[in-house]
Amino acid sequence: MEESHSKQSIRDEIVRIAGPVFIELLMGTLFGMVDMIMLGNFGSDEVSAAAIAAVGVTNQLVFIGLSLVQSLNIGATAMVARYMGANREDRIESVVRHVIILTQIFLVIPILFIGLRYTQGVMKFFGAHQDTINIGMSYFRVIILGFIFQAFNFSIFAALRGAGDTKTPMKINITVNLINVFGNAVLIYGLLGVPSFGPTGAAISTVGSQVIASIFLIRYILKKDSTIHIDIKNRFKFNNDIIYNLVKIGVPASLEQIAMRIGILLFVKIVASLGTVAYATHQICINILNLSFTPGQAFGIAASTLSGRSLGAKEPELAEKYIRTCSKVGAVISATMAIIFFFFGGAIASLYTKNSQVVLEATRVLKLIAFIQPFQSSQLILSGGLRGAGDTVWTLISTFIGILIIRVALGYYFVLVLGLGLAGAWLAILIDQFIRWIFITIRFRTNKWKYIAIR
C-alpha cells in the first residue's frame, strides 16, 4: 500500500473531517437538550408537558421540509466531493447556486404556505391535543418563518462538507447555538427586564440564531479565499448535467425522506394516542436519541465526503477503506453511549422534567435505546458512504421497508393491539433499525456502489 494511503493516514483524514462534524452535531444536540430542559421546567407540569409536545408537533413539519432539503443536499455533497477528487473545482460554484435556488423555490415556499396558512389544521394533523395547540400555535408560526434561513444554511453546509471543510460549519453552528441558548433563557423566563414569552420566546431565539448563521455564511462564501466561493458578478445559468446529477441522486433520496417522514408521522400518531404525558416522554426520548445519532452522522458525513472524493479520483478501493474505518470508529463510540443510556438513563431523563411519571417511563425506554445503538450507528455510516458514491436507491429501499412498513406495523401491533404502551413503540424502533442495518450491509458488500457514474 502506498504511504499516502496507509492505515494511519486514512484514520487521520477521517478524524480531520469527522471530528469537527461530531463536535458540531454533539454541541447542537446538547444545546437542543438544554432548550427542551428549559421548556420542561417552565410553568406547571401540565404546561411544561404541552410545551414539549408543541415542540414535537412543530418539528414534524419542519423535519419534513428539512428532509427534502437534505435530499437535494445529498446530491450537492456527492457532486462537490466527486469534482474535488477529479480536480474539477470550476463546477462547484454552479452546483451550490443550483441547490440554493431549487431549494428556496420548490421546498421553502410550499412549506411556508402550508405552515402559515393552515397552522391549527397542521398541528391537529400531526396529533396535537387542544392543550398543545393553545400553547404552541405562535411557536409553530415563528419556527416555520425561520425555515427560509435554515434551508439556506443547510445547503451551504452540505457543499462545504463535500469539499472537506467541516471546521467552518462547526464554528458557525457552535457560535449561533450559544446565542440561541442565551436568547432562550432571556425570552422564555423573562430575564434582564425582558417580558416572559414562554414557548414563543424559544421560537424567536431559534429563528434569530438561524438568521445570524445565514449572515455568517453569506460573508464567508463571498470571500475569494473561501473553500466554496460564490462570485455574484457571474451570471447564473441552469446546467443540464448538474440538474441530471441532482435528479439522479436527489430523487431516490427525496423519496427516502418522504417515506421516512410518512412513516414517522404515522408512528407519532400511534404514540400520540397514548396521551400528552406519553407523547412528552416520547419527545424527551427522541431528543436523547438524537444525541446518540451524532457519532453515526459525523462518521457518515466523513464516509460520504471521502468515498465521493476517492471515486472522483478513480480509487474505489480507497473509498471502501475509508467507509470501513469510519464504521469501526463509530462502533466504539456508539457502544460507549449504549452503556451510558442503559445505566444512567434515569439521571438523564430527570434533567428534562420534574414529572416523576415521565422520568420513570423515559428510564425504561432508554434501556431499549441502548440496544438500538450498534445497529443505528453502523447503518448511518454505511448509508453515508453509499450516498457519497451517489447510490441512494438502496438507502431508499431500506428506509421504505424499515420505517414505513416495519416500524409502523409493529408500532401499531405492540401499542394498540398488545397494549405495551410507549415501551412497545420503542421496541418497534429497535426492530426497524436492525432490519435497515441488514439491508445496507448487504448492499455495501456487493461493491456495486463503486461503479456509479455522474456527469
Side-chain angles (χ1 to χ4, degrees):
M1 190 188 300
E2 292 179 23
E3 183 59 33
S4 61
H5 296 161
S6 68
K7 285 184 180 179
Q8 186 59 48
S9 68
I10 286 172
R11 276 197 294 268
D12 289 346
E13 187 67 359
I14 287 168
V15 170
R16 184 185 73 79
I17 292 176
V21 180
F22 179 61
I23 293 167
E24 174 199 339
L25 293 174
L26 181 64
M27 294 300 289
T29 307
L30 287 172
F31 286 134
M33 290 170 74
V34 171
D35 287 357
M36 198 168 279
I37 288 165
M38 285 181 183
L39 283 172
N41 287 282
F42 175 78
S44 65
D45 284 357
E46 291 78 15
V47 169
S48 67
I52 291 172
V55 174
V57 166
T58 305
N59 284 345
Q60 290 302 314
L61 181 60
V62 171
F63 285 164
I64 288 171
L66 287 178
S67 298
L68 294 172
V69 169
Q70 284 294 71
S71 60
L72 265 180
N73 291 345
I74 287 165
T77 300
M79 288 163 66
V80 169
R82 285 278 188 116
Y83 292 146
M84 291 289 286
N87 294 317
R88 290 295 312 275
E89 287 90 345
D90 57 298
R91 305 200 75 178
I92 291 174
E93 179 179 350
S94 184
V95 172
V96 177
R97 286 177 175 234
H98 275 79
V99 172
I100 292 171
I101 291 167
L102 294 173
T103 295
Q104 294 293 325
I105 293 172
F106 293 108
L107 299 176
V108 171
I109 291 172
I111 292 287
L112 283 178
F113 177 76
I114 293 166
L116 297 175
R117 177 73 177 80
Y118 304 104
T119 308
Q120 192 162 339
V122 170
M123 292 184 78
K124 280 183 181 173
F125 179 74
F126 287 125
H129 295 264
Q130 195 57 47
D131 56 346
T132 301
I133 292 170
N134 293 341
I135 285 176
M137 269 187 73
S138 51
Y139 174 91
F140 187 100
R141 285 182 173 137
V142 174
I143 289 291
I144 293 301
L145 277 173
F147 186 64
I148 300 168
F149 307 99
Q150 204 172 4
F152 172 81
N153 299 343
F154 269 49
S155 298
I156 305 297
F157 288 148
L160 286 169
R161 289 171 185 142
D165 179 4
T166 52
K167 283 187 178 177
T168 301
M170 176 191 74
K171 288 174 185 174
I172 291 174
N173 273 315
I174 290 176
T175 302
V176 298
N177 273 310
L178 280 167
I179 293 168
N180 183 29
V181 167
F182 176 76
N184 275 347
V186 171
L187 295 173
I188 292 172
Y189 297 112
L191 307 178
L192 306 176
V194 176
S196 168
F197 289 100
T200 307
I204 294 167
S205 177
T206 298
V207 172
S209 68
Q210 288 161 358
V211 173
I212 292 168
S214 295
I215 293 168
F216 285 155
L217 283 169
I218 290 167
R219 286 181 59 196
Y220 180 78
I221 62 176
L222 292 179
K223 288 195 306 186
K224 287 188 177 178
D225 60 344
S226 60
T227 311
I228 301 290
H229 172 60
I230 302 291
D231 188 344
I232 52 175
K233 293 176 185 173
N234 292 341
R235 228 175 115 237
F236 174 76
K237 287 191 299 184
F238 281 107
N239 181 293
N240 290 336
D241 284 348
I242 289 173
I243 292 173
Y244 171 83
N245 291 334
L246 285 172
V247 169
K248 181 180 176 180
I249 298 170
V251 167
S254 296
L255 293 173
E256 177 193 350
Q257 294 300 333
I258 291 167
M260 180 184 289
R261 285 299 132 201
I262 292 172
I264 289 174
L265 169 59
L266 295 172
F267 185 75
V268 162
K269 279 179 165 288
I270 293 167
V271 174
S273 71
L274 295 168
T276 298
V277 171
Y279 189 67
T281 307
H282 180 69
Q283 278 310 124
I284 287 171
C285 292
I286 287 287
N287 198 250
I288 295 168
L289 183 70
N290 287 344
L291 175 65
S292 72
F293 266 41
T294 52
Q297 285 178 314
F299 287 97
I301 287 168
S304 187
T305 299
L306 293 168
S307 66
R309 194 172 74 190
S310 301
L311 293 172
K314 311 292 185 192
E315 296 186 89
E317 300 313 310
L318 179 60
E320 182 178 348
K321 284 175 186 148
Y322 276 128
I323 296 170
R324 286 189 181 278
T325 307
C326 284
S327 199
K328 286 174 186 172
V329 180
V332 173
I333 298 172
S334 68
T336 306
M337 287 197 161
I339 292 166
I340 293 169
F341 291 152
F342 191 87
F343 290 105
F344 304 103
I348 297 169
S350 63
L351 295 171
Y352 283 84
T353 179
K354 303 181 287 289
N355 189 318
S356 58
Q357 190 182 347
V358 172
V359 172
L360 182 65
E361 188 67 24
T363 305
R364 290 196 197 108
V365 170
L366 281 163
K367 291 190 186 300
L368 276 171
I369 290 178
F371 288 101
I372 291 170
Q373 293 307 298
F375 306 115
Q376 171 186 282
S377 174
S378 182
Q379 70 95 359
L380 278 172
I381 293 168
L382 293 178
S383 294
L386 294 180
R387 290 187 186 109
D391 185 359
T392 50
V393 173
W394 275 85
T395 55
L396 162 63
I397 293 168
S398 73
T399 298
F400 185 88
I401 293 171
I403 293 185
L404 195 54
I405 297 176
I406 301 291
R407 183 186 293 197
V408 172
L410 291 182
Y412 180 88
Y413 183 67
F414 292 156
V415 174
L416 300 178
V417 178
L418 295 184
L420 297 178
L422 197 57
W426 280 85
L427 180 58
I429 293 176
L430 170 59
I431 296 168
D432 151 42
Q433 287 283 3
F434 177 69
I435 296 293
R436 280 193 280 163
W437 170 73
I438 289 173
F439 269 92
I440 293 299
T441 302
I442 290 170
R443 176 59 178 177
F444 175 71
R445 289 180 178 173
T446 65
N447 288 328
K448 290 179 181 177
W449 54 273
K450 293 178 182 176
Y451 307 104
I452 291 172
I454 69 166
R455 292 181 182 177

